[in-house]
């Protein structure tokens, strides 16, 4: 079992930065791939970024590549999403997720946090 709690969301102006954190509990965290997803009002949940259990591989959605960085600290059981050069279209609820596979498919993730709101004003 893995429990996930996101934090760090908020309101920021376009061009600004935020860092999201996802604190995990459970002994399997260090063996799990971690992902960030987001869901805007009226839209489906979409992939943002993922990282392997070791942190050696990452993958990003094209829409955030070069602006967002995913990282993890297994000693602290935490995964991060550094978001720079934010745009109004990045506004969404952001979720972290844990699962056995390094994938962009949300259906492959077994555990989900409750989400944190990110709002980017123009």
């Amino acid at each position: 079992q893995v429990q996930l709690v996101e934090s760090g969301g908020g309101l920021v102006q376009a061009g600004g930065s935020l860092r999201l954190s996802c604190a995990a509990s459970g002994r399997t965290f260090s063996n799990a791939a971690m992902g960030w997803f987001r869901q805007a009002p009226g839209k489906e949940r979409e992939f943002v970024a993922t990282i392997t259990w070791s942190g050696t591989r990452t993958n990003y959605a094209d829409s955030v590549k070069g602006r967002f960085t995913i990282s993890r600290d297994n000693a602290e059981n935490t995964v991060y999403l550094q978001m720079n050069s934010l745009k109004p279209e990045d506004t969404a609820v952001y979720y972290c997720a844990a699962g056995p596979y390094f994938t962009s498919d949300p259906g492959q993730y077994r555990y989900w946090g409750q989400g944190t709101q990110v709002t980017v004003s123009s």
Side-chain angles (χ1 to χ4, degrees), residues 91-112:
T91 295
V93 177
Y94 283 71
Y95 300 89
C96 69
Y101 307 116
F102 176 65
T103 177
S104 61
D105 179 2
Q108 298 296 321
Y109 287 83
R110 295 179 181 173
Y111 305 104
W112 292 82

Side-chain angles (χ1 to χ4, degrees), residues 12-92:
V12 63
Q13 288 188 331
S17 298
L18 282 175
R19 188 175 82 154
L20 305 183
S21 299
C22 175
S25 62
R27 290 179 291 178
T28 60
F29 172 79
S30 61
N31 296 325
M34 299 296 297
W36 284 98
F37 295 81
R38 65 187 182 187
Q39 188 166 18
K43 295 188 177 181
E44 293 188 354
R45 190 169 298 189
E46 66 172 359
F47 167 72
V48 175
T50 184
I51 189 167
T52 55
W53 67 269
S54 63
T56 56
R57 291 181 65 193
T58 58
N59 189 30
Y60 298 91
D62 288 343
S63 59
V64 307
K65 203 169 291 184
R67 300 188 298 123
F68 290 11
T69 303
I70 188 172
S71 61
R72 67 189 294 165
D73 184 340
N74 286 344
E76 296 294 329
N77 281 4
T78 303
V79 63
Y80 304 98
L81 185 68
Q82 177 66 44
M83 306 186 294
N84 298 330
S85 302
L86 283 161
K87 305 175 181 179
E89 51 263 45
D90 294 319
T91 295

